Amino acid sequence: MDSDNYATPRQQTGKPCPGCGCVLSPGFTICVPCKAKNRAREEAERESQAKKTDNLSKAIAETEAAFPEVIRETDPARLDERLRSVVEGYDPTKRESWLLFGATRVGKTRTAFCLAQSFARTMGRPAQFYTMRKFEATIDQSFRDKRHGEVLQRIIDHPFLVIDDFGKERLTERLAVDIFAIIDERTSERRPTVITTNLTGDALEAKFAAIEPNLAAALVARLREFFRKAAAF
């Protein structure tokens, strides 16, 4: 007799197998085929869990690597009270976008990092971080490489996007159109986006209107409609 009390379906003189219902010999608890199926299922579950753990570790590492080292050292407890409340109340499963505005050096970028980190840890998907200087350079390089559409779509499709110092860019018509496309498509698909800026909505609209009047009002309307807001001065 098998030490685990297993039997083949041919030994049909006892209780039914809980897996398939075949009759087992007295003292046996499950048939050999069902035992094999159970072991295969358990192994698949272990592999699935290991993959999830690996993906989670990669998402967290990729997210943290996207931010400057000094920002990665952020202690949420030291944030401005209004910004700390954003971090403490943030629920990544709601897929919300945030507009963080206020004076320089009040912790807007650090708050964005905390939100991105929370998203990666909860959802197992990475966040991407762009300063406007980096974003402008990325777009310029994409044109030189003749890969603009591909690069723009990758930014649009990213699971979680942070745009830092929005409004500080050297705005051109081409850049204004790309910024609008990113915000428009990401809000349409409810992809979480966090934007930090020193400018109010009216100031942003005026900046964009000077370059691309047709997009200015539409851009600010999307920020007002689809982004939650937090101010710190």
Side-chain angles (χ1 to χ4, degrees), residues 32-163:
V32 171
C34 286
K35 173 187 177 182
K37 288 181 182 178
N38 287 349
R39 285 181 173 173
R41 183 174 60 252
E42 291 168 359
E43 181 61 27
E45 290 173 352
R46 283 193 294 270
E47 290 178 358
S48 175
Q49 185 58 47
K51 184 176 181 180
K52 288 181 181 178
T53 300
D54 184 53
N55 289 342
L56 178 61
S57 298
K58 288 180 179 178
I60 294 172
E62 186 177 333
T63 295
E64 294 182 349
F67 286 80
E69 182 176 357
V70 67
I71 299 299
R72 297 199 297 267
E73 299 170 352
T74 296
D75 177 3
R78 299 180 63 184
L79 291 173
D80 173 273
E81 182 179 355
R82 287 159 293 187
L83 297 178
R84 187 171 68 250
S85 68
V86 172
V87 174
E88 292 173 347
Y90 179 60
D91 181 357
T93 65
K94 292 183 177 179
R95 298 161 62 192
E96 294 175 329
S97 292
W98 278 89
L99 179 64
L100 309 174
F101 62 96
T104 301
R105 299 188 64 81
V106 295
K108 300 185 300 296
T109 305
R110 293 181 182 277
T111 301
F113 168 72
C114 291
L115 299 182
Q117 192 178 52
S118 178
F119 178 86
R121 289 175 173 173
T122 302
M123 308 300 288
R125 306 191 71 189
Q128 183 59 56
F129 172 81
Y130 283 95
T131 61
M132 283 310 305
R133 179 175 174 274
K134 178 183 175 182
F135 176 78
E136 183 180 351
T138 299
I139 294 299
D140 287 345
Q141 187 63 47
S142 74
F143 277 103
R144 289 193 291 271
D145 295 341
K146 302 186 186 313
R147 297 174 56 241
H148 174 254
E150 175 189 340
V151 170
L152 187 65
Q153 193 62 50
R154 187 170 67 243
I155 296 173
I156 290 171
D157 291 342
H158 209 282
F160 190 105
L161 178 67
V162 175
I163 301 177

